[in-house]
Amino acid sequence: MITGTIIVLISGILTGLCFLPMRYTTNWSFENTWFVWCIVSLVFIPPLIAWAFIPHLGQGYKEVGAPLILIVLSSGLLAGMSGFLYGLGISKIGLAGANALSNGISLALGSFIPLVFQHAGVIRTKLGFWLLLGLALALVGVMIAAFASHFRGEQASRVIAAGTDSAGARARLSKNVFLGIGVSIAAGLLFPAQNLGIAFADKFMKVARTFGSSEVFMTYAFYVPYFASSFVSNGIYSVIMWRCKG
């Protein structure tokens, strides 16, 4: 229990810090930074870890079966779309605003959707009432975060307009703020697809455990197909942006 809690805390810290280098890649377009991040974290690292620590990985996927793999690939594709929308939101309204909006929505819905699919009867219980209340409060928090991001953007646009005497600069910044809020909310709506995929990850982990994987690394049997399809949607986005700017 203590070990798991520590791992979750470290994971949360690293998740919050992983986009920090974007502040120092100001000479790169967003899609360039995002593509490098995705190809390292989604394509290279998970298969490398799975190959190193899960014996007979290919045979394990045969045991899992094509239908379940297709479900995981589909959820990864949708969650991948949320990934580049989230990154785009960071580039428009900053890490704090994008985190509050996208993570707030995704955490609320990501907890609720698997519950409906797997334990629908719980909704009609007292526990279900408290879960729904918590969901409502989380969405209120998201609305407050959206308002705060908009207010911050308005303040910044006034400062720019006052310094440059340019209504166009103010309009562009305001547009960026609205775009950032919109894509961050969209990211939060799509990201629970990850939770839906993880809800079906048990068989991947059980098969990996059967073939000799430790509990620490058996999750990577699920991560390999899931992250691979996530990279597809992110890669398509980057290619489209390169062609538009090329």
Side-chain angles (χ1 to χ4, degrees):
M1 180 68 178
I2 295 176
T3 302
T5 302
I6 293 173
I7 291 173
V8 169
L9 289 173
I10 295 174
S11 173
I13 293 170
L14 294 178
T15 300
L17 293 176
C18 70
F19 296 109
L20 186 61
M22 288 180 66
R23 292 187 177 184
Y24 305 99
T25 55
T26 53
N27 292 330
W28 283 20
S29 297
F30 164 74
E31 57 272 13
N32 296 335
T33 306
W34 193 250
F35 184 82
V36 172
W37 183 89
C38 288
I39 201 168
V40 172
S41 62
L42 302 180
V43 177
F44 288 160
I45 301 301
L48 185 63
I49 294 176
W51 175 80
F53 295 101
I54 302 178
H56 310 292
L57 185 62
Q59 185 62 34
Y61 287 131
K62 292 181 181 179
E63 292 287 332
V64 170
L68 192 56
I69 291 177
L70 286 175
I71 291 175
V72 171
L73 290 174
S74 300
S75 66
L77 195 65
L78 291 174
M81 293 173 62
S82 76
F84 73 75
L85 290 172
Y86 173 57
L88 187 59
I90 292 174
S91 71
K92 299 296 182 183
I93 60 174
L95 185 60
N99 259 333
L101 292 170
S102 60
N103 288 342
I105 292 175
S106 67
L107 287 173
L109 297 183
S111 302
F112 181 71
I113 292 175
L115 180 67
V116 171
F117 273 92
Q118 295 185 314
H119 308 285
V122 175
I123 302 300
R124 296 186 291 271
T125 66
K126 186 176 181 179
L127 176 61
F129 167 78
W130 288 109
L131 287 172
L132 290 174
L133 179 61
L135 174 63
L137 291 174
L139 293 177
V140 170
V142 167
M143 292 174 63
I144 293 173
F147 176 78
S149 296
H150 171 66
F151 180 72
R152 178 185 176 188
E154 284 293 309
Q155 284 187 318
S157 65
R158 290 192 190 99
V159 171
I160 289 177
T164 63
D165 197 25
S166 171
R170 179 177 176 178
R172 284 192 299 272
L173 182 57
S174 181
K175 181 180 179 181
N176 279 339
V177 170
F178 278 112
L179 178 60
I181 292 173
V183 297
S184 297
I185 291 174
L189 293 173
L190 286 174
F191 199 73
Q194 177 181 13
N195 295 52
L196 184 60
I198 291 175
F200 296 99
D202 284 349
K203 188 169 183 180
F204 287 86
M205 293 187 288
K206 288 178 181 177
V207 169
R209 194 78 176 94
T210 301
F211 279 88
S213 171
S214 68
E215 292 185 358
V216 175
F217 295 104
M218 64 184 184
T219 312
Y220 280 87
F222 162 76
Y223 284 156
V224 170
Y226 173 78
F227 284 147
S229 60
S230 296
F231 173 75
V232 171
S233 49
N234 285 277
I236 290 173
Y237 165 78
S238 296
V239 170
I240 289 173
M241 294 303 297
W242 291 336
R243 290 178 64 89
C244 290
K245 295 181 179 180

